[in-house]
Amino acid sequence: LEALRPVCPVCRGPDGDEAPLEVGRVEREVERDVLEGALLCSRARCLREYPVLDGVPLLIPAIRQFVTDNLYAIVARDDLSSTLEGMLGDCAGPGSWLDVTRQHLSSYAWDHWADLDPAEEPGPASLEATPGGLRRVLSAGLDLAPEVPAGSVLDAGCGVGRTAFDLAARRGDDLVLGVDTHVGMLRLASRILREGVVRYPRRRVGLVYERREFAVSLPGAERVDFWCCDATALPFARGTFSLAASMHVLDCISSPVEHLAALGRALRPGEGNI
């Protein structure tokens, strides 16, 4: 927070006069890691508050509507046993919020993390059935990208977090921030960051899932963080980042042009994105 100095995503002026966000309240923290609290806009005529949930600040312009639309994900418990979670999933049935969320977590977590799971069974010998597809795209992009000076890195659309950790491993001492709007994925990524443990529901068939849990060691993890941000209204001053990666995002947002413009504002002049 101190290094990236986020700004209020609502009251940014037409001339780029950003209003920095400040820590307004801290309800729960561990070693300066704020797990619950609020960030406050420093501009007197705004003073909007943005909640911090499980270590993830929700820096969304239309925060009231976002909370309303994502209330189930925000208040969802993640401490249930796999047996009870499965029973609730059976009761809710296919197409429920719980079913959709578990499907998302299963698909993304498998692609991001299954290569580190000692219990994962090898699939058919094809790229489509092998985890790490998104990470291979990121690696290829970094190999093709021109040399970029040191500086903070943005992973826009980080999902469950592995690409942010990959960027940290590739970028030496640079800070890496992963942003997304999927609360469940960000909660999973933030837990991996804090605890070094991957835990997610692995879908087998229909409503049948099995809990996967394993420890991971991630070089450079101390330089990574995860925030909930709108990719079309990034809450950062101009030139905050030296490099930005954004993959599988353009087809998931209402205005790809606004997303690209937001990346352009957040990047330092003359430096690139992927």
Side-chain angles (χ1 to χ4, degrees):
L1 186 70
E2 295 169 356
L4 298 178
R5 302 185 63 196
V7 300
C8 179
V10 172
C11 70
R12 179 186 288 121
D15 299 323
D17 53 329
E18 292 97 352
L21 293 176
E22 302 172 345
V23 177
R25 289 193 308 279
V26 175
E27 302 292 343
R28 186 162 60 97
E29 68 177 322
V30 176
E31 297 179 353
R32 298 191 70 211
D33 184 8
V34 179
L35 301 183
E36 284 185 18
L39 301 184
L40 178 70
C41 178
S42 59
R43 182 165 287 160
R45 68 173 183 267
C46 178
L47 297 179
R48 282 179 172 82
E49 290 185 306
Y50 300 92
V52 179
L53 170 73
D54 294 329
V56 178
L58 308 183
L59 305 184
I60 304 294
I63 186 62
R64 292 178 181 269
Q65 188 62 50
F66 181 83
V67 169
T68 299
D69 294 341
N70 294 273
L71 189 58
Y72 285 118
I74 290 172
V75 301
R77 295 176 58 178
D78 61 357
D79 60 343
L80 299 176
S81 67
S82 59
T83 299
L84 185 55
E85 187 178 86
M87 292 174 63
L88 295 178
D90 290 341
C91 292
S96 67
W97 171 86
L98 179 57
D99 179 42
V100 172
T101 299
R102 296 171 87 194
Q103 287 188 46
H104 286 166
L105 293 178
S106 176
S107 176
Y108 280 83
W110 177 82
D111 184 57
H112 282 227
W113 297 103
D115 64 303
L116 298 181
D117 184 356
E120 183 68 29
E121 300 174 0
S126 68
L127 288 177
E128 292 77 10
T130 304
L134 186 63
R135 299 176 59 232
R136 288 192 292 273
V137 173
L138 173 64
S139 180
L142 290 172
D143 290 340
L144 292 172
E147 189 67 25
V148 177
S152 300
V153 178
L154 177 69
D155 183 5
C158 64
V160 292
R162 185 70 181 280
T163 49
F165 291 112
D166 284 351
L167 283 164
R170 289 277 297 252
R171 292 288 299 176
D173 297 327
D174 294 342
L175 297 177
V176 178
L177 180 68
V179 302
D180 209 296
T181 56
H182 194 294
V183 175
M185 293 187 192
L186 287 170
R187 180 180 279 125
L188 194 156
S190 183
R191 184 195 303 119
I192 295 170
L193 174 63
R194 296 194 311 270
E195 303 176 5
V197 174
V198 177
R199 184 170 71 246
Y200 73 99
R202 177 78 162 94
R203 190 185 187 194
R204 283 310 180 189
V205 61
L207 297 175
V208 179
Y209 291 79
E210 64 180 11
R211 179 73 54 82
R212 288 301 180 89
E213 183 171 343
F214 50 94
V216 292
S217 178
L218 302 164
E222 69 281 356
R223 294 180 281 105
V224 177
D225 206 358
F226 297 100
W227 298 0
C228 183
C229 302
D230 185 339
T232 65
L234 294 170
F236 304 103
R238 294 180 181 274
T240 297
F241 299 96
S242 65
L243 176 71
S246 181
M247 301 176 294
H248 295 186
V249 174
L250 293 182
D251 61 332
C252 300
I253 55 180
S254 58
S255 177
V257 172
E258 289 183 20
H259 172 47
L260 295 175
L263 287 178
R265 286 191 299 270
L267 286 165
R268 295 175 184 170
E271 299 179 8
N273 56 16
I274 297 178

